[in-house]
Amino acid sequence: MSEQTIIDEIKTEENLVYKKPEALKDTPFHYCPGCAHGVVHRLIAEVIDEMGIQSETIGVAPVGCSVFAYNYIDVDMTEAAHGRASAVATGIKRVLPDRLVFSYQGDGDLAAIGTGETIHTCNRGENVLIIFINNGIYGMTGGQMAPTTLENMKSTTTPFGRDVSVMGYPLKITELVAALPGTQYVTRQAVYKPGLVRKTKKAIRKSFELQKENKNGTCFIEVVANCPSNWKMTPVESNKWLEENMLPFYQLGDIKTPNGRK
Amino acid sequence: MSKLKLMKGNEALAEAAIRAGCDAYFGYPITPQSEVLEYLSREANKRTGMTVLQAESEIASINMVYGAAGTGKKIMTSSSSPGISLMQEGISYIACAELPCLIVNVNRGGPGLGTIQPAQSDYFQSVKGGGHGDYRLIVLAPSTVQEMSDFVKLAFELAFKYRNPIMILTDGALGQMMEKVELFEQQPREDIITGWETIGKPEDRPSNVITSLHIKPDKMEEINIHLQEKYKKMEENEVRVETIDCDDADYIITGYGLVARICTKAAQLARDKGLKVGVIRPITLFPFPYKTYFDIADNVKGILDVEMNAGQMIEDVRLAVNGKIPIEFYGRMGGMVPTPEEILEALETKLIGGKDE
Ligand SMILES: Cc1ncc(C[n+]2csc(CCOP(=O)(O)OP(=O)(O)O)c2C)c(N)n1
């Protein structure tokens, strides 16, 4: 039997256990091995498929490693200037209120250069979803300190570790936006274990559902993520490091839900 | 029944935005243009359903414009000089992504925080790029409250014709002063969807992407070549200029916007004294009416360029005339407005040759 026939025999509907979501393009991810961006992209695509919302969804890509998110996620997308994704999302949502709009941003993008836009988008209660990938570092530009870099954590611009007396403190922007009346759902998730991946997907789905159902404000999902390349670790080491160092500070779970604070 | 109304320049502009069928305005208060945001906040939504949003900054405003303009709707913002400076990164993105929109700069005196009084010191910024990269805006320079209104409609037409941001460059005096204006009829708010917009992807088309990122240099060069070809078309088709009493003129005074009106008065004073003086008023600052100056230079003895700045447009006038005749400059800065008498004196002393020389 030729290889192709074997493949054809296996490739039948009843044998299907896993496939690429329709809302993911065929472009191979450019992300480093072990990076969380690809996992979260996939989750967004899965939710879009399952909810059947591809034609209503408009995304906004940031400047950062996920600047090319539009090459992967198969919906109409706009690539924003560094930090401005939530303002761009606001512009889209304000003129197309019946579309489902999300921004996808890194920690430098969302919590340093774009802090103003983040806070005010959430404070206006824009009915958009903000997905925030917190890898504690500037990935795209090669590992500089991020606003979320942990105390004593090394980066190329904190080569001896982040000295908070000089560089300030790691910023818990998610708790900050949860305190704003404009947000309706604020949660912190991770994707380094299968169970957590499922939870993150649920959070994404819930956010799109809330955006579709009501106009009660911004949904905000932080995903605590690794950056093996710039943390200078293997993917496995980076996940372990994330669990042992990032999670005690950035604790997982819902911070605010539509039915009241948690 | 007269359709004439007495309106402030800024309010006529805002009213024109509503009537042009503008879908959304995003802006941030700054003197001397806050009336645009105020007027729209009061009038727009209830009349046409137009979205009006006070953003947290000009940076946010222009990026809201970027997002909203990507849906193919008629989108605008306005500000004054310091705010326009903050918008430059966004304008560059919008120009590269080829999104139609209107940006209004009610120029005030700078540099820095400067003054809230009128100036033309943002000419370079508006006409030569302003933000990073090789891009151009069509820049319209109204000189009356009537044109503050008319040019809004024109700006949206040009924005969609070229898929390009258009700037109305005016100043604090035109923004604040009241004049009679005949308003054009209310246009419908209608979507002009042509296929590139990010509005949600139907099954039968690939997803649309609005981006200014083209990481491969050959692709980025291709984009640049395309943009330059577009700007060339604008130069061929969109030059607008007014010439006043130039046919028999020995001398020309030139200026744009408010200054052009003062120049016209100065030219009248000159004619009263027996001096044959005409006026050239560029209406589009980009594309600049180079040819008008080049041709007139064969028939006149010199040009006095007048601006409310240290001399910016004069560089384009010199380029246009290409050394054929002398060109002199008279300017006031920092929010000061020249008088016709000052201009006449400058014409006589700098160009014609003063009595005491
Ligand atoms: C105005 C501006 N400033 C700086 C940069 C350079 N820059 C690109 S990405 C980036 C940081 C991205 O880090 P983050 O948002 O954490 O995302 P990651 O790459 O880690 O996913 C910076 C500083 C830029 N493109 N634009």
Side-chain angles (χ1 to χ4, degrees):
Chain A
M1 247 195 305
S2 80
E3 209 177 304
Q4 190 56 45
T5 356
I6 300 172
I7 291 172
D8 287 344
E9 245 174 48
I10 300 169
K11 259 178 68 181
T12 58
E13 256 328 297
E14 59 275 16
N15 286 340
L16 180 69
V17 283
Y18 197 71
K19 67 169 189 175
K20 188 174 72 63
E22 296 288 327
L24 267 192
K25 296 181 182 177
D26 283 331
T27 330
F29 285 131
H30 71 276
Y31 297 113
C32 307
C35 174
H37 278 309
V39 180
V40 181
H41 285 13
R42 189 194 154 95
L43 294 181
I44 295 169
E46 284 181 6
V47 170
I48 290 171
D49 278 5
E50 286 165 22
M51 289 178 66
I53 54 171
Q54 191 180 22
S55 64
E56 322 162 44
T57 305
I58 303 173
V60 183
V63 174
C65 284
S66 49
V67 66
F68 283 125
Y70 56 77
N71 281 344
Y72 311 120
I73 305 170
D74 195 12
V75 296
D76 282 358
M77 286 190 79
T78 299
E79 200 290 302
H82 193 24
R84 317 302 169 206
S86 66
V88 174
T90 298
I92 298 170
K93 186 73 180 184
R94 287 281 174 148
V95 294
L96 295 175
D98 61 339
R99 302 300 197 281
L100 300 170
V101 179
F102 72 94
S103 75
Y104 185 104
Q105 304 176 250
D107 42 57
D109 194 83
L110 179 138
I113 194 167
T115 313
E117 285 78 4
T118 303
I119 302 249
H120 285 281
T121 301
C122 291
N123 196 50
R124 283 190 305 267
E126 299 292 342
N127 291 296
V128 299
L129 164 61
I130 297 174
I131 296 174
F132 164 39
I133 309 297
N134 175 11
N135 58 12
I137 207 146
Y138 283 15
M140 190 195 213
T141 41
Q144 298 83 8
M145 182 187 73
T148 49
T149 297
L150 295 174
E151 186 171 358
N152 297 324
M153 184 175 166
K154 283 188 179 157
S155 73
T156 59
T157 50
T158 54
F160 313 108
R162 181 177 189 159
D163 176 351
V164 295
S165 71
V166 180
M167 313 304 286
Y169 298 85
L171 180 59
K172 288 186 179 172
I173 195 147
T174 305
E175 276 77 357
L176 223 149
V177 301
L180 303 172
T183 49
Q184 61 168 323
Y185 175 47
V186 180
T187 186
R188 186 182 281 120
Q189 303 290 335
V191 291
Y192 72 98
K193 280 181 179 171
L196 296 173
V197 171
R198 279 195 292 276
K199 279 192 176 169
T200 303
K201 182 175 169 182
K202 263 195 182 158
I204 296 171
R205 179 161 183 142
K206 179 171 172 170
S207 300
F208 275 121
E209 282 170 355
L210 286 169
Q211 191 179 152
K212 219 175 149 74
E213 283 160 19
N214 69 35
K215 302 204 183 315
N216 295 347
T218 313
C219 295
F220 189 101
I221 303 173
E222 172 178 341
V223 179
V224 183
N226 56 343
C227 180
S229 296
N230 287 300
W231 291 3
K232 309 213 183 319
M233 296 174 193
T234 65
V236 174
E237 283 166 3
S238 72
N239 285 340
K240 192 158 177 286
W241 197 90
L242 180 152
E243 188 169 69
E244 287 170 3
N245 297 277
M246 295 281 277
L247 294 192
F249 189 77
Y250 298 113
Q251 286 169 12
L252 302 185
D254 290 346
I255 299 168
K256 186 181 189 177
T257 61
N259 316 318
R261 289 178 147 272
K262 264 198 90 174
Chain B
M1 190 190 72
S2 168
K3 283 188 196 151
L4 288 181
K5 282 196 158 191
L6 187 65
M7 290 184 97
K8 257 191 181 190
N10 285 335
E11 295 189 339
L13 184 136
E15 174 63 32
I18 301 173
R19 289 179 183 238
C22 181
D23 293 293
Y25 171 96
F26 303 94
Y28 187 80
I30 182 170
T31 309
Q33 67 77 52
S34 297
E35 294 84 1
V36 180
L37 172 58
E38 288 169 346
Y39 188 94
L40 290 173
S41 302
R42 204 161 63 226
E43 292 288 325
N45 189 267
K46 68 175 185 211
R47 277 173 45 195
T48 64
M50 176 179 168
T51 298
V52 182
L53 185 61
Q54 177 172 337
E56 66 272 26
S57 69
E58 291 85 351
I59 298 179
S61 308
I62 195 68
N63 286 287
M64 289 173 187
V65 167
Y66 176 60
T71 69
K73 291 180 183 284
K74 285 185 180 159
I75 312 297
M76 71 177 287
T77 183
S78 66
S79 186
S80 179
S81 310
I84 298 288
S85 293
L86 275 182
M87 291 186 188
Q88 292 301 333
E89 183 197 25
I91 297 175
S92 169
Y93 272 65
I94 292 171
C96 187
E98 293 193 272
L99 302 184
C101 67
L102 167 60
I103 301 150
V104 179
N105 181 3
V106 185
N107 198 162
R108 63 188 241 182
L113 192 52
T115 165
I116 57 174
Q117 300 302 325
Q120 297 184 319
S121 40
D122 299 347
Y123 179 91
F124 285 151
Q125 188 197 51
S126 317
V127 168
K128 308 287 179 187
H132 58 287
D134 272 321
Y135 73 89
R136 299 286 184 162
L137 315 175
I138 293 180
V139 182
L140 301 169
S143 74
T144 58
V145 171
Q146 183 65 53
E147 286 183 344
M148 291 286 270
S149 162
D150 294 346
F151 286 4
V152 171
K153 189 157 162 257
L154 173 64
F156 278 121
E157 283 161 15
L158 294 171
F160 281 85
K161 179 171 175 188
Y162 292 98
R163 273 187 64 184
N164 207 69
I166 312 295
M167 177 171 280
I168 292 181
L169 178 62
T170 180
D171 64 65
L174 269 169
Q176 295 298 322
M177 74 190 200
M178 290 183 94
E179 268 189 317
K180 61 179 189 295
V181 51
E182 186 175 343
L183 298 162
F184 56 86
E185 294 294 319
Q186 177 67 51
Q187 315 280 303
R189 275 183 58 214
E190 56 188 359
D191 283 355
I192 324 153
I193 299 303
T194 54
W196 54 267
E197 301 84 357
T198 47
I199 51 175
K201 165 196 139 39
E203 246 172 62
D204 58 355
R205 76 151 161 79
S207 53
N208 284 338
V209 171
I210 288 169
T211 183
S212 61
L213 172 67
H214 306 281
I215 213 110
K216 296 205 173 84
D218 53 342
K219 175 70 184 165
M220 195 65 227
E221 186 180 49
E222 212 179 278
I223 299 279
N224 268 279
I225 290 168
H226 165 72
L227 290 175
Q228 293 304 319
E229 283 168 354
K230 183 169 82 170
Y231 303 148
K232 195 145 192 303
K233 279 203 191 102
M234 294 172 182
E235 289 180 311
E236 283 162 13
N237 301 324
E238 305 304 339
V239 172
R240 286 166 174 78
V241 59
E242 185 185 11
T243 54
I244 303 160
D245 292 338
C246 289
D247 289 349
D248 66 339
D250 292 325
Y251 295 95
I252 297 292
I253 313 178
T254 189
Y256 71 90
L258 178 73
V259 167
R261 292 171 68 170
I262 310 171
C263 291
T264 308
K265 180 70 189 168
Q268 280 164 11
L269 295 180
R271 290 218 173 230
D272 292 346
K273 289 178 96 176
L275 298 166
K276 288 183 184 162
V277 177
V279 172
I280 301 180
R281 171 172 84 99
I283 295 171
T284 48
L285 303 181
F286 180 86
F288 192 75
Y290 290 107
K291 193 171 178 313
T292 308
Y293 291 93
F294 183 80
D295 291 347
I296 283 181
D298 292 333
N299 307 320
V300 300
K301 294 177 187 154
I303 299 179
L304 179 72
D305 173 270
V306 185
E307 302 178 55
M308 294 196 293
N309 58 38
Q312 299 191 14
M313 186 180 82
I314 191 169
E315 295 193 0
D316 283 317
V317 177
R318 287 210 177 101
L319 274 177
V321 169
N322 203 12
K324 283 202 244 182
I325 48 168
I327 295 163
E328 295 293 341
F329 176 71
Y330 182 71
R332 297 295 303 265
M333 294 174 284
M336 294 300 287
V337 180
T339 64
E341 291 75 17
E342 280 170 42
I343 294 173
L344 177 60
E345 193 191 329
L347 179 77
E348 289 182 313
T349 56
K350 293 189 171 200
L351 207 57
I352 303 176
K355 294 176 207 87
D356 50 350
E357 265 175 45

